[in-house]
Amino acid sequence: MKELIEELKTEIIDVLNLEGMTPADIDENAPLFGEGLGLDSIDALELIVLMEKNYGIKLANANEGKEIFKSVKVMAEYIKEHRTK
Amino acid sequence: MGKHNFDIESYCRITNDKVVVNNELLMQKGESGDWLADIYHHIGMQYPKFFKMDHLCKVGTLAAELVLKDKTFDRETVKADWAVILMNSASSLDDDRQYQETIRDRENYYPSPSIFVYTLANIVTGEIAIRHKIGGESSFYVFEHFDGARMDELVARAFDDNPELNTLLCGWVDYDTDGCDVLLCSFIRKESKESSENIAEYLNQLYKNQ
């Protein structure tokens, strides 16, 4: 799980262009939206694409994202359980 | 040569190898591969959203930052007496191509939302308006090439049409496969129309000589 969390942090920094940020700067328990990383709605869509492209997970309902993107740790747990690649 | 009710307050010229602000060379391109990020860091800008933008918005945002760097104004309040009018020839083609790459392959079809949102040229006027809280007109034109006379005419019309307009950011903001080509000016209203400077010719000189 720890490895997946680190991998996910790197992917998030890359895909969301979080300039100057390293995986160590991201608290795996901190909220991704609002406070925490302060991501916006376009970032949320980009995370949905990341889930599908890298892990083969298709979110049928966009509202699922609210729960899944609570933090990097929650996201990693969901990926571990549902990944198809 | 015509009479004008506006003046050029400041200008910024950004090309592939240098940045000139009000006739002073601000920086020249070094060895680094990311010219626009270099300019961002050089001017000490603090705006993380910059890194999420496409090239056109990045270069327009940088130019606006430089044009306004010495101007005293209220940065916290939306200004209805400010406007942005930009033009270029490549529209948003640079970003359009990048977006096309994300949908080209049916086997690897992942349309990128963050690239898609920049597939319109006028997004750059919005980015500048958001950054500097500009609440007046926001327009974008696509022309074949830069023309000082046309720019002069657009500025004159903007000031004539809107008596409330006091500051106008207007210029050429272009980005394509051959890089960036920017001349952005800040125009301010003046009371008298007595001057007879040839602004169109001056704009052409700024564009060609710097």
Side-chain angles (χ1 to χ4, degrees):
Chain A
M1 177 60 86
K2 199 170 180 185
E3 203 175 297
L4 179 58
I5 286 174
E6 289 310 302
E7 176 185 305
L8 207 45
K9 285 180 179 179
T10 305
E11 286 171 348
I12 288 172
I13 289 170
D14 180 47
V15 81
L16 302 185
N17 292 312
L18 303 178
E19 171 75 9
M21 198 167 260
T22 67
D25 297 325
I26 301 178
D27 177 352
E28 65 192 54
N29 295 303
L32 287 169
F33 293 88
E35 31 182 319
L37 288 181
L39 305 183
D40 61 21
S41 56
I42 299 299
D43 294 323
L45 294 173
E46 209 60 64
L47 289 181
I48 290 172
V49 174
L50 182 154
M51 299 266 284
E52 186 177 343
K53 191 173 179 178
N54 296 3
Y55 303 102
I57 298 171
K58 264 192 178 179
L59 296 187
N61 180 355
N63 281 333
E64 281 182 275
K66 281 185 184 169
E67 286 301 314
I68 299 163
F69 300 146
K70 263 187 175 170
S71 68
V72 172
K73 193 176 178 186
V74 173
M75 213 176 146
E77 281 164 356
Y78 186 88
I79 289 170
K80 192 181 171 195
E81 206 172 314
H82 296 87
R83 68 188 301 171
T84 59
K85 62 179 178 183
Chain B
M1 195 176 295
K3 293 182 177 178
H4 296 85
N5 58 346
F6 58 86
D7 271 332
I8 298 177
E9 185 180 42
S10 65
Y11 77 88
C12 169
R13 181 88 172 99
I14 304 178
T15 55
N16 287 328
D17 61 350
K18 63 186 173 189
V19 179
V20 175
V21 180
N22 300 327
N23 217 29
E24 281 184 27
L25 180 65
L26 184 78
M27 66 181 292
Q28 267 187 309
K29 193 175 186 326
E31 296 299 310
S32 155
D34 192 342
W35 175 223
L36 301 185
D38 285 351
I39 301 171
Y40 173 92
H41 292 301
H42 182 87
I43 65 178
M45 202 172 163
Q46 298 286 324
Y47 196 50
K49 194 181 179 190
F50 173 85
F51 293 99
K52 294 175 180 284
M53 296 176 184
D54 74 326
H55 290 124
L56 183 65
C57 287
K58 278 181 178 171
V59 78
T61 299
L62 289 170
E65 204 76 10
L66 289 164
V67 156
L68 296 173
K69 72 184 175 72
D70 295 325
K71 187 176 174 77
T72 304
F73 63 97
D74 182 355
R75 292 174 187 269
E76 303 305 320
T77 310
V78 175
K79 296 166 282 294
D81 62 337
W82 284 42
V84 192
I85 300 175
L86 304 178
M87 59 204 108
N88 77 7
S89 70
S91 185
S92 59
L93 270 177
D94 176 68
D95 190 75
D96 297 348
R97 286 190 201 98
Q98 285 189 44
Y99 182 68
Q100 191 190 24
E101 278 303 304
T102 73
I103 58 173
R104 191 173 48 86
D105 182 358
R106 285 191 179 279
E107 302 304 311
N108 190 29
Y109 185 87
Y110 298 104
S112 166
S114 59
I115 297 177
F116 176 74
V117 293
Y118 289 105
T119 55
L120 278 175
N122 62 337
I123 301 299
V124 61
T125 63
E127 290 287 9
I128 292 171
I130 290 167
R131 170 72 172 158
H132 299 287
K133 296 189 167 58
I134 298 172
E137 178 186 351
S138 168
S139 304
F140 198 101
Y141 297 87
V142 178
F143 297 119
E144 199 170 339
H145 55 77
F146 177 85
D147 179 350
R150 186 189 289 125
M151 184 163 153
D152 181 20
E153 191 186 323
L154 281 173
V155 176
R157 195 184 303 158
F159 279 104
D160 284 343
D161 287 353
N162 181 4
E164 306 299 319
L165 180 63
N166 284 315
T167 297
L168 170 63
L169 297 186
C170 181
W172 183 259
V173 178
D174 207 12
Y175 195 100
D176 203 354
T177 45
D178 51 356
C180 60
D181 180 21
V182 173
L183 172 63
L184 183 67
C185 303
S186 167
F187 295 91
I188 50 169
R189 181 185 292 280
K190 67 178 181 184
E191 292 309 313
S192 132
K193 283 193 174 185
E194 285 171 7
S195 72
S196 56
E197 312 102 12
N198 191 332
I199 288 185
E201 185 50 38
Y202 180 61
L203 291 170
N204 281 330
Q205 281 172 18
L206 292 181
Y207 182 78
K208 282 173 191 160
N209 299 339
Q210 296 187 334

